[in-house]
Amino acid sequence: MNQKVQAAAEQFAKLVQMQLERNDRIKSQKEFLDFQKLDTIIVGVCGGDGIGPVITNEAARVLQYLLADQVQAGKVEFRQIDGLTIENRAAQGKAIPDDVLAQLKECHVILKGPTTTPRAGDPWPNIESANVAMRKELDLFANVRPVKVPDQGIDWTFFRENTEGSYAVGSYGVNVDEDVAFDFVVTTTEGTERIARLAYDYARRNHKDRVSIVTKANIVKTTDGKFLKLCQQIGKEYPEITTDDWYIDIMTAKLVDQKRRRDFQVFVLPNLYGDIITDEAAEFQGGVGTAGSANIGKRYAMFEAIHGSAPRMVAEGRAQYADPCSMLRAAVLLLSHIGYQAQADKLERALDICMFEEKKLQVTGRDTGCTCTQFGDYVMETVARL
């Protein structure tokens, strides 16, 4: 065998072994955590850095208002978790300091604010993203992003597989020589079935009657083909829900089609396609600053904004004017995930009223608009009217 081919084959063999071992680990995690069987659901509130603590604490305040009876009865407990600031992470040289990770693992769900990830030219050491580290440590395999624009008929929820696809082994590609390079896509049965089941369960709980599977299975036949077939098989277990499938290229076009895009409700798709299309979708809603997301595993779940920590706002003394809507949308997902669907529906309806219908208060990020706290008060006043 050619020496170059032999070296590439050995590197690929190591990668295959690594993924087989990972597959065994995820197969051993059989069931999702049943929140109804817990005496107390522990919600960790982890502010992060930049504007993170401001918007996260506001979302926590709204959650505590909605769950006041459950907190009083001891059914839900909120825990403040500090130490995920860039200063502390840099000082300890870790994406998540050990003591913070231990506290996170004591919780069932986490409301997490944005965190700064150092890049070239920043005054911080090159530590890994806290988000990436958290997804790995807690096996948060599903990235869930809702997008809603009522006056355009848009009400979408995306279930993006978070741990496989093109990103799973993105740093393990092979340069055979200076002319030829390979990267790899990973799809497993367990990894696909668990994201599909999560999407269909969500659709059933939230009264949705359509799930759209997005791949490029006509071209990427092995991995995307496997993802499509397995999702279709799971879909058969939900006869009241219509399943259709789309190729990623035409789906990006159909989301722009004002007539067709009203038909879509819930999407399930591999990692790379999900990353691209959810950013496109968020633009319809007003940009990534308005969108929340969930990162869900079988044991743990983390709920967050999809935007960054905006250190410039803090430096300019404008943090109190930060928009909490992304974190409040994430709070809707959190409530639904832990089984408080009535409260989730109320909060979602209140946000629709405050953001799209009444608009009595506007968040501008400056003193030309309301503060984060004032908007939170507005949301709670609206909940009380429902």
Side-chain angles (χ1 to χ4, degrees), residues 148-154 258 261-262 284 356-357 359:
K148 197 167 191 177
V149 188
D151 62 356
Q152 296 184 34
I154 293 174
Q258 294 187 17
R261 70 189 185 197
R262 294 172 177 264
F284 293 108
F356 305 121
E357 297 174 22
K359 301 182 187 177

Side-chain angles (χ1 to χ4, degrees), residues 57-120:
N57 291 335
E58 192 57 39
R61 189 168 72 98
V62 174
L63 280 174
Q64 288 166 344
Y65 170 76
L66 284 159
L67 297 173
D69 291 343
Q70 288 74 24
V71 171
Q72 186 173 3
K75 295 292 185 182
V76 177
E77 175 188 339
F78 287 83
R79 291 186 184 177
Q80 190 72 37
I81 300 174
D82 298 317
L84 207 60
T85 63
I86 182 60
E87 291 83 3
N88 190 43
R89 289 183 286 132
Q92 299 199 33
K94 292 190 174 182
I96 305 176
D98 293 342
D99 60 331
V100 177
L101 182 60
Q103 292 177 69
L104 292 172
K105 288 184 175 181
E106 291 175 356
C107 302
H108 300 110
V109 294
I110 300 153
L111 186 69
K112 177 193 161 293
T115 50
T116 300
T117 301
R119 59 185 179 181

Side-chain angles (χ1 to χ4, degrees), residues 147-163:
V147 171
K148 197 167 191 177
V149 188
D151 62 356
Q152 296 184 34
I154 293 174
D155 187 2
W156 302 328
T157 306
F158 296 86
F159 283 77
R160 166 193 171 194
E161 205 292 318
N162 222 14
T163 59

